[in-house]
Amino acid sequence: MRRLALVLAGGALWLILAAVPALADGGPHVMTQNNGSLGINADGCAGCHRAHTAQGPFLINAADETALCKTCHGAAVTGSTVDVMTGVQYALDVDGLRDPATLLGALRGGGYDQARLDAGDASRLSYLRTATAVSQRPKVGVGAAEDVTSAHMAMTENGLTNPGIAWGNGAVGSGIGPVVEISCASCHNPHGNGQYRILNRIPEATGVGFDDGWVVDVLATVASNDRIYTEVSHALLVGDIVTVAGTGTAADGTNLTVASISSNYFTLTGVDILADTGVGGAVTRTSGVGVTDATLPAAGDTRNYTVMQTKGTEGTESTYLLYASQVATAAGAGTFNSIPGDYTATGGDYFARNVPWNPQINNAACDPTIFPAPAACATANSAPNGRPSTFSGQITAWCSSCHTRYFANSNPNPTTVDPLDTGAAWMYPRPGEDIYMYQHRTVAGRDCLTCHVSHGSNAAMTGTFSGSYEYPDGTASASSRLLKVDNRGTCQACHDPTGTIVAGTYIGPASPTVP
Amino acid sequence: MRRLALLIAGGALWLILAAAPALADGGPHVMTVNNGSLGINADSCAGCHRAHTAQGPFLINAADETALCLTCHGAVAAGATTDVASGIQYQLAARGGTPLLGALRSGGFVQAAIDSGNPARVLVSNNLASSDDQWAKVRVRTDISGGVDPAPVTSAHLNLADNGLSAPTVAWGNGPIGLGLNGPGPTVSMACASCHNPHGNGQYRILVPIPDPEATSGTFTPAAADAVVADSPADNPDAAESDTKNYTVIQTRGTPGTLSTYLLYADDVSDAGYGPATGDYWHVRVPWNTASTPTTGADAPNGIPANRVGGFFAFNDQMTAWCSACHTRYASAAGDTPSGDELFAYRHETVGNRACTTCHVAHGSNARMEGTFSSSQPFPNGDVPAYDIGGATGDSRLLKVDNRGTCQLCHDPTGTVANGTYTGPIPAPGVP
């Protein structure tokens, strides 16, 4: 009998261990399984779909997409380590499911019901950016779970009532944006697609007038260098597929590939522009390059979806904190890749403007009052995918697929027609636009995810002005707009408009740590 | 006593051999013989019935219908070319031995020869709206020497002692659409004659026009009208050939209206030189690896791929209507439209080349459901298979490909596979 029990126990253990790889990172969302390239025998379909007894559209096993996602990614379930409702990632249990007793960390995206941004107690260190100019090094740490004050989706759990508008979507001068409906699958492809966070290459919402293809007016084409100048800065990336029309040049065509970019011009692969032209035409992005993902974790591991990240060596993924197993190990050791820090569930930086946010913490030589700082004090761009040189541009291009007119960099000087005479979007208006006219730039270090979380924020907008801030349609709201700091602390994280704070000044909680 | 036994055995053998010509296609199942229209002198009644010494209901010469059928159609019997237990068809002259004609379209009740682990797919378009454009094939399972190699089934339309299955006997989805009124369907008692009329009736595969299994729990709701599936002629137009039909997965694209261009009879298959390991279980298009039109290239084991004048209706449409006579609430014209039923709320389309028999075999499948989700897929009543199916696999639901490969033969939901990409065994399988 004892032998039999031993055999049964061994068998059960084998079954559990054998099942783990199938539930490793991606769960049923692994592209190579679902697209058949690893063989036409995927199991994942059965996780979410029913061919004949589906309860929702697309033959899903729930009333709607969001309800289906929550069956694994909800707060009180165990199907996934990622709880997008309360904004935390748990450790992976030996059975391949969530270990609800062990938190790994706080999610970068915040949460839909609760989030853990320490929005009321942000950190900021002022430092010398040049010999005379002072800039800021911000951090928003992890705090207690609080109810969200804004979320990308209104839900029963969060009690929010969103306007339901894709702000800024559409062509120049087309108003505030269309009324749309979104669900989890508007942004994510649950089947996996090889993209960072399985983001759809171009997000999709349903609504009259919604258009996820950017249209940017062409200002001029130049034969000598084959450049196509756009009226305002574009967010095109090398490899994007575009349609050009109305220029009257060889550039006009479909399924063209962007070969090179600068803020206000681009070139196309194989397109030789034979003649200069004046104003006319437009470029429309029809397919984006997406947001590059890191390599899938090994079986029995998951990705690190938390706000913890470290500066690594681009091209060497192992030097980044890409996987949950690395976080767990670092939490115990108090160090990762020889970088001491707090890697426990309360560690990390929501703001992620630079990594590390304050190099002085681990290197006393990085005195913020000294310029130039030693090379070892250099910080890196945020790179949760291990690719700091491209992540910021890619994620901003992605967000801008919906919020088209929120992408901003340089606009033309309204007093000239010289295509090279452009200036910051906060200084020159977007031509032809009466709502999204002057805008904060959304380029590296100021990308969309610098100021905003993607799922939901608990930042409190209690001030007189912040608490009655108008949406683009003029409706006042105390929504936190997915911002990361209470009231307009998000602005102050980078700006001292008074010019009175001196380099070396630290404001924030005592004993700050990295990451 | 030994002499007497020898005599009886010899007599029995003679009876079998003497009866063989009468057991050609249709065997005792020929409608015109059994309905008396050819004369009130049918012999075949005596093949299966005993007026006074019957061993089972309906005066049959066996304990039950299924046992009776298996006396000819079983694995170790010799009365018919079709071995529905093992899922294979023999050539007429060689029942019980080689050569085989091919693998049965319906799989088998005990074993089936579906190469469910090695399907082939050419992704013609990764646009979700073009999912029915893909080219796909599910081959016949073979051993290392290339011989047809049936494997134990993991689901079957009948629980038999030989297959060891004990699946729920629910007529899933039977009954009208209703908000919580009808549940998953009634529990029924099934036998071969639930679907087939052994006396012949002129229907494709002698399918009963209105299947009506006995309900053992709940109420079975039969179809209100006949579900007709047209058959090819019982008599082979080629008088020199046998009337035995081709029940295998081997088929070719023919010319609608010209029956001789289809592989309708067993001798056609032999004459064409197609080996027993050829054929395509998937048969969404014929041949599998070419663009086809519904009018010529659709699945048509009866030689009728599409509607045409003269009262001919597409095989796929008729077959789906027939299956839906029991599984009423499975029929769906649009997967994105709610049915109004609480349980069968959204259903995969079952129109065009998405017929029931596109994804499912009728008798039994050896597809392996070993994945985490596929192995624990609950039945519509919520029950998860807890009975032994044969190792670490779930109930395959008569599907043709391991896990949910059946979905992938038409769908790339990731949108990442380039159009024209081939996935499958190397070299790519040929036709048919």
Side-chain angles (χ1 to χ4, degrees):
Chain A
M1 179 58 86
R2 190 175 296 175
R3 273 191 185 171
L4 180 61
L6 204 60
V7 169
L8 290 174
L13 183 61
W14 180 86
L15 282 173
I16 288 169
L17 294 175
V20 167
L23 291 171
D25 186 89
H29 313 303
V30 177
M31 174 189 74
T32 48
Q33 290 175 3
N34 291 324
N35 69 8
S37 60
L38 289 184
I40 310 293
N41 56 7
D43 175 51
C45 315
C48 303
H49 294 281
R50 297 289 180 271
H52 307 293
T53 57
Q55 298 299 297
F58 300 104
L59 304 181
I60 58 173
N61 190 28
D64 57 55
E65 286 172 5
T66 302
L68 178 67
C69 298
K70 287 194 294 185
T71 60
C72 285
H73 294 285
V77 294
T78 58
S80 165
T81 60
V82 179
D83 167 9
V84 300
M85 295 307 292
T86 67
V88 289
Q89 180 173 5
Y90 292 89
L92 190 68
D93 212 340
V94 291
D95 59 1
L97 303 174
R98 175 187 302 177
D99 174 3
T102 309
L103 281 179
L104 192 73
L107 292 184
R108 277 177 64 90
Y112 283 104
D113 182 22
Q114 292 185 315
R116 297 162 195 251
L117 291 87
D118 198 8
D121 203 8
S123 302
R124 190 184 75 181
L125 175 68
S126 301
Y127 75 103
L128 280 178
R129 174 167 51 89
T130 68
T132 55
V134 176
S135 279
Q136 318 301 332
R137 288 181 165 141
K139 173 181 177 176
V140 176
V142 176
E146 295 178 338
D147 290 345
V148 297
T149 50
S150 64
H152 233 129
M153 291 193 293
M155 295 177 154
T156 304
E157 292 89 336
N158 61 29
L160 298 175
T161 306
N162 289 348
I165 294 172
W167 303 114
N169 180 262
V172 168
S174 62
I176 53 172
V179 175
V180 296
E181 288 187 9
I182 60 171
S183 64
C184 302
S186 298
C187 299
H188 303 280
N189 183 341
H191 306 100
N193 58 3
Q195 297 285 301
Y196 172 78
R197 290 348 183 210
I198 55 175
L199 294 172
N200 290 320
R201 275 186 180 271
I202 292 185
E204 186 64 78
T206 54
V208 176
F210 179 81
D211 184 358
D212 55 13
W214 306 333
V215 181
V216 181
D217 288 340
V218 170
L219 187 65
T221 56
V222 179
S224 61
N225 51 21
D226 298 327
R227 289 176 180 171
I228 302 167
Y229 281 86
T230 52
E231 189 172 39
V232 297
S233 288
H234 59 81
L236 294 172
L237 298 173
V238 173
D240 276 351
I241 306 299
V242 299
T243 293
V244 177
T247 68
T249 71
D252 286 356
T254 59
N255 288 325
L256 301 165
T257 304
V258 174
S260 67
I261 54 170
S262 186
S263 64
N264 276 56
Y265 68 79
F266 63 97
T267 65
L268 296 167
T269 301
V271 172
D272 181 11
I273 294 174
L274 300 175
D276 294 351
T277 66
V279 176
V283 55
T284 303
R285 188 183 70 154
T286 55
S287 180
V289 295
V291 186
T292 308
D293 204 1
T295 305
L296 274 171
D301 199 359
T302 69
R303 291 191 194 283
N304 165 24
Y305 297 98
T306 76
V307 288
M308 285 178 264
Q309 60 175 318
T310 57
K311 180 184 175 185
T313 304
E314 189 156 14
T316 306
E317 288 191 327
S318 61
T319 61
Y320 290 90
L321 203 52
L322 297 176
Y323 307 109
S325 61
Q326 295 173 314
V327 177
T329 302
T335 184
F336 172 76
N337 196 25
S338 302
I339 304 171
D342 175 12
Y343 299 95
T344 68
T346 55
D349 172 20
Y350 274 101
F351 214 82
R353 184 171 191 268
N354 291 103
V355 183
W357 74 277
N358 177 4
Q360 189 183 28
I361 290 175
N362 284 328
N363 185 352
C366 301
D367 186 335
T369 64
I370 296 176
F371 179 85
C377 301
T379 60
N381 290 336
S382 175
N385 62 351
R387 289 164 172 79
S389 64
T390 55
F391 178 78
S392 188
Q394 289 184 340
I395 198 71
T396 292
W398 188 86
C399 299
S400 304
S401 296
C402 279
H403 303 289
T404 327
R405 286 171 282 163
Y406 276 68
F407 176 78
N409 187 5
S410 295
N411 289 338
N413 182 340
T415 64
T416 74
V417 293
D418 178 358
L420 298 180
D421 187 1
T422 62
W426 49 264
M427 183 171 68
Y428 294 146
R430 185 185 296 269
E433 178 67 44
D434 57 3
I435 298 174
Y436 305 101
M437 294 176 68
Y438 295 86
Q439 297 173 299
H440 195 290
R441 282 173 153 171
T442 52
V443 293
R446 290 143 285 172
D447 62 53
C448 306
L449 294 188
T450 301
C451 300
H452 303 275
V453 292
S454 54
H455 289 173
S457 168
N458 57 295
M461 301 296 158
T462 54
T464 302
F465 301 107
S466 301
S468 59
Y469 198 78
E470 296 94 0
Y471 284 116
D473 66 355
T475 308
S477 169
S479 163
S480 60
R481 268 74 159 182
L482 302 175
L483 291 167
K484 298 177 178 175
V485 192
D486 287 356
N487 292 317
R488 286 304 179 267
T490 299
C491 306
Q492 295 177 294
C494 296
H495 299 287
D496 165 27
T498 70
T500 58
I501 301 297
V502 299
T505 305
Y506 171 75
I507 300 169
S511 307
T513 60
V514 293
Chain B
M1 180 58 85
R2 191 175 294 174
R3 274 189 184 174
L4 181 61
L6 205 60
L7 193 62
I8 291 172
L13 183 62
W14 181 86
L15 281 172
I16 288 171
L17 293 175
L23 291 170
D25 187 86
H29 314 303
V30 178
M31 174 186 71
T32 51
V33 173
N34 291 325
N35 69 8
S37 60
L38 290 183
I40 311 298
N41 56 4
D43 170 55
S44 47
C45 309
C48 303
H49 294 282
R50 296 291 179 272
H52 306 293
T53 59
Q55 299 299 298
F58 300 103
L59 303 182
I60 58 173
N61 191 26
D64 57 53
E65 287 172 6
T66 302
L68 178 65
C69 298
L70 291 176
T71 59
C72 287
H73 294 282
V76 294
T81 61
T82 47
D83 170 3
V84 299
S86 308
I88 47 181
Q89 182 175 7
Y90 292 86
Q91 294 188 16
L92 184 61
R95 176 67 167 103
T98 55
L100 293 177
L101 187 72
L104 292 183
R105 274 176 64 92
S106 296
F109 284 104
V110 180
Q111 291 184 310
I114 305 168
D115 195 10
S116 60
N118 293 289
R121 180 188 76 180
V122 176
L123 197 84
V124 174
S125 170
N126 66 16
N127 185 334
L128 187 64
S130 303
S131 297
D132 56 342
D133 290 341
Q134 326 299 4
W135 302 351
K137 176 175 182 176
V138 179
R139 303 181 304 179
V140 173
R141 190 174 191 271
T142 57
D143 58 23
I144 195 168
S145 64
V148 177
D149 185 27
V153 297
T154 51
S155 64
H157 235 129
L158 293 174
N159 294 329
L160 299 176
D162 288 339
N163 64 27
L165 299 176
S166 53
T169 58
V170 179
W172 303 115
N174 179 259
I177 294 288
L179 290 174
L181 299 175
N182 298 310
T187 302
V188 297
S189 175
M190 288 268 291
C192 302
S194 299
C195 299
H196 304 280
N197 183 339
H199 306 99
N201 59 4
Q203 286 255 90
Y204 172 79
R205 291 346 184 211
I206 54 175
L207 294 171
V208 296
I210 300 181
D212 190 8
E214 180 185 355
T216 56
S217 175
T219 303
F220 183 86
T221 306
D226 284 357
V228 175
V229 187
D231 202 5
S232 51
D235 291 327
N236 189 337
D238 185 345
E241 293 187 336
S242 160
D243 291 339
T244 299
K245 294 229 167 93
N246 165 24
Y247 297 96
T248 74
V249 288
I250 307 167
Q251 64 172 315
T252 54
R253 185 195 300 203
T255 304
T258 306
L259 292 175
S260 61
T261 60
Y262 293 89
L263 292 176
L264 299 175
Y265 301 95
D267 284 347
D268 294 338
V269 177
S270 302
D271 292 347
Y274 294 126
T278 58
D280 173 20
Y281 273 98
W282 191 245
H283 49 67
V284 159
R285 58 193 68 242
V286 182
W288 76 275
N289 58 355
T290 184
S292 64
T293 65
T295 54
T296 60
D299 185 33
N302 62 351
I304 308 172
N307 297 350
R308 69 176 198 274
V309 294
F312 296 95
F313 297 96
F315 172 79
N316 274 337
D317 294 347
Q318 290 194 324
M319 197 67 232
T320 292
W322 188 86
C323 298
S324 303
C326 276
H327 302 289
T328 326
R329 286 173 280 163
Y330 279 64
S332 172
D336 58 354
T337 304
S339 67
D341 192 84
E342 187 178 60
L343 180 54
F344 301 92
Y346 290 82
R347 296 85 44 88
H348 193 285
E349 292 177 2
T350 54
V351 294
N353 63 7
R354 284 84 77 205
C356 304
T357 45
T358 297
C359 300
H360 304 275
V361 292
H363 289 172
S365 168
N366 58 292
R368 304 288 294 179
M369 302 294 158
E370 299 181 344
T372 303
F373 301 109
S374 301
S375 63
S376 59
Q377 180 91 344
F379 289 107
N381 64 357
D383 289 349
V384 174
Y387 49 92
D388 181 52
I389 299 177
T393 175
D395 182 293
S396 60
R397 265 70 159 183
L398 302 174
L399 292 167
K400 298 176 180 177
V401 191
D402 289 356
N403 291 319
R404 286 305 179 270
T406 298
C407 308
Q408 294 181 293
L409 286 185
C410 294
H411 300 288
D412 165 26
T414 70
T416 56
V417 176
N419 295 346
T421 301
Y422 169 78
T423 305
I426 302 295
V431 297

